[in-house]
């Protein structure tokens, strides 16, 4: 497995530093999943940490939702690899004062989302700590390997579902307002697009990434990995209805609001030219692949500058 070319940003600077010190002691860093061949089978592996005060606030989420959300983020990486989940391992840190029922509640959320995509909880580890954190390692099986590399000039860029719902809920909660019910569900109980990911691979997808840090940033990662330029027409972006309402509150075009939103966990997918849209999933064509580098976002013929979320920016 060759190393994936990395995009710009402070988080990727840290990955670059790690890759430099590890050298040949690391393989295949920089994609949504590690791809490991075991005999005739191929596994996709991913790990994802969720930390209280960084990824979630207890006053916004129940413990079940904390477990679901952390696990959905990890399963979303498996979805972007077109993997069929086998299960998850969970490392859970909670205050010693939290009763057994609190641990059980978090794991109830984990169990509900992992079984929804056909996997199970395979094991884990418990530690005490002042800050709650949940680290989920997902294990899946793939038949053909797909990642962030593979987009070619002339290909088409598509996105599943609707964007901006999670951000709409986040903005409302941040401002102390009651979030829209559907938007809150997008935030608290995101659905990993496992079935869509598998169908898209069968449908001939060339490259995929899940939208965890916002369209602008994640598209940039895919462009860097594939060594291409992505041109996105924001007017084509499928916006969640709550994103339209919240965008108006913020005085921002809905498409820009939706493009800024992280944690939608939809899939950004590159298809060969002429994909009909008939793959049996809700998706929208939002742009094209060109030669060059980086991402160009346009709205009504004008370039729009947007950054994705970076954990270290
Ligand atoms: Mg990802």
């Amino acid at each position: 497995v060759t190393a994936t070319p990395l995009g710009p940003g402070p988080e990727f600077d840290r990955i670059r530093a790690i890759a430099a010190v590890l050298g040949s002691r690391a393989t295949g860093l920089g994609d949504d999943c590690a791809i490991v061949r075991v005999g005739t089978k191929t596994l996709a592996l991913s790990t994802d940490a969720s930390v209280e005060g960084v990824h979630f606030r207890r006053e916004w989420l129940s413990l079940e939702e904390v477990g679901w959300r952390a696990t959905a983020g990890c399963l979303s990486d498996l979805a972007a690899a077109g993997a069929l989940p086998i299960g998850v391992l969970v490392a859970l840190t909670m205050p010693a004062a939290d009763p057994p029922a609190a641990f059980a509640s978090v794991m109830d959320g984990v169990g509900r989302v992992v079984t929804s995509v056909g996997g199970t909880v395979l094991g884990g580890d418990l530690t005490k700590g002042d800050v709650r954190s949940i680290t989920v390692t997902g294990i899946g099986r793939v038949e053909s390997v797909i990642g962030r590399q593979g987009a070619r000039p002339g290909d088409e860029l598509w996105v599943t579902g609707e964007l901006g719902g999670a951000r709409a809920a986040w903005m409302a909660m941040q401002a102390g307002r009651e979030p829209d019910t559907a938007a809150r569900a997008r935030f608290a109980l995101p659905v990993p697009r496992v079935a869509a990911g598998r169908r898209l691979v069968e449908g001939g997808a060339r490259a995929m990434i899940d939208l965890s840090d916002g369209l602008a940033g994640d598209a940039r990662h895919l462009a860097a990995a594939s060594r291409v330029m992505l041109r996105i027409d924001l007017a084509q972006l499928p916006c969640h209805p709550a994103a339209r309402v919240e965008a108006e509150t913020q005085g921002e075009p809905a498409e820009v609001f939706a493009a800024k939103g992280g944690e939608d966990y939809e899939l950004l997918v590159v298809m060969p030219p002429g994909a009909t849209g008939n793959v049996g999933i809700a998706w929208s064509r939002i742009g094209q692949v060109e030669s060059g580098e980086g991402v160009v976002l346009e709205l009504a013929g004008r370039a729009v500058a947007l950054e994705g979320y970076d954990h270290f920016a």
Side-chain angles (χ1 to χ4, degrees):
V1 183
T2 55
T4 302
L6 301 174
E11 183 181 349
F12 274 49
D13 289 342
R14 283 156 176 79
I15 301 176
R16 264 184 280 274
I18 292 165
V21 77
L22 286 176
S24 62
R25 291 176 290 161
T27 47
L29 302 185
D31 216 305
D32 285 304
C33 286
I35 301 297
V36 179
R37 289 185 181 84
V38 184
T40 58
K41 303 270 187 257
T42 305
L43 297 179
L45 309 168
S46 182
T47 194
D48 220 31
S50 194
V51 180
E52 183 171 6
V54 178
H55 296 91
F56 64 90
R57 295 195 199 167
R58 274 295 284 117
E59 58 270 33
W60 289 358
L61 295 175
S62 70
L63 289 172
E64 289 86 346
E65 288 167 343
V66 167
W68 174 296
R69 193 162 177 271
T71 307
C74 178
L75 295 171
S76 179
D77 283 326
L78 292 185
L84 183 65
I86 296 168
V88 293
L89 299 165
V90 179
L92 191 54
T93 301
M94 306 260 277
D98 277 3
F103 288 75
S105 293
V106 173
M107 293 308 297
D108 189 24
V110 172
R112 280 195 288 143
V113 67
V114 74
T115 51
S116 78
V117 296
T120 57
V121 177
L122 300 167
D125 183 43
L126 303 181
T127 54
K128 69 173 176 182
D130 296 336
V131 176
R132 291 184 184 86
S133 86
I134 170 167
T135 300
V136 183
T137 301
I139 302 158
R141 206 158 44 76
V142 290
E143 268 119 49
S144 52
V145 176
I146 185 166
R148 300 177 182 186
Q149 304 183 53
R152 300 171 212 170
D155 286 349
E156 296 173 351
L157 195 61
W158 296 71
V159 70
T160 63
E162 292 175 327
L163 305 183
R167 180 160 190 251
W170 184 85
M171 297 286 276
M173 292 187 292
Q174 188 87 327
R177 286 181 276 118
E178 189 66 34
D180 171 85
T181 306
R184 190 188 177 281
R186 291 300 310 257
F187 177 84
L189 300 168
V191 176
R193 300 300 181 199
V194 168
R198 289 173 58 73
R199 205 165 294 171
L200 288 164
V201 169
E202 285 163 18
R206 293 218 228 255
M208 271 202 285
I209 187 170
D210 69 310
L211 297 178
S212 54
D213 299 336
L215 177 68
D218 290 319
R220 218 161 273 147
H221 296 323
L222 194 149
S226 289
R227 300 183 192 280
V228 294
M229 191 258 267
L230 302 179
R231 185 183 298 277
I232 296 175
D233 179 6
L234 291 177
Q236 304 305 317
L237 232 59
C239 298
H240 190 280
R244 294 196 179 279
V245 175
E246 192 66 31
E248 202 165 321
T249 308
Q250 307 291 331
E252 194 168 57
E255 294 80 8
V256 171
F257 181 94
K260 282 185 186 171
E263 299 177 324
D264 281 313
Y265 297 114
E266 296 294 347
L267 297 174
L268 182 67
V269 55
V270 175
M271 299 297 291
T276 60
N278 186 22
V279 288
I281 56 172
W283 66 339
S284 309
R285 186 180 164 190
I286 62 166
Q288 65 209 48
V289 181
E290 299 179 7
S291 55
E293 60 178 33
V295 176
V296 174
L297 301 155
E298 292 167 327
L299 186 60
R302 298 178 63 172
V304 177
L306 282 182
E307 296 296 322
Y309 180 78
D310 190 304
H311 293 273
F312 295 96

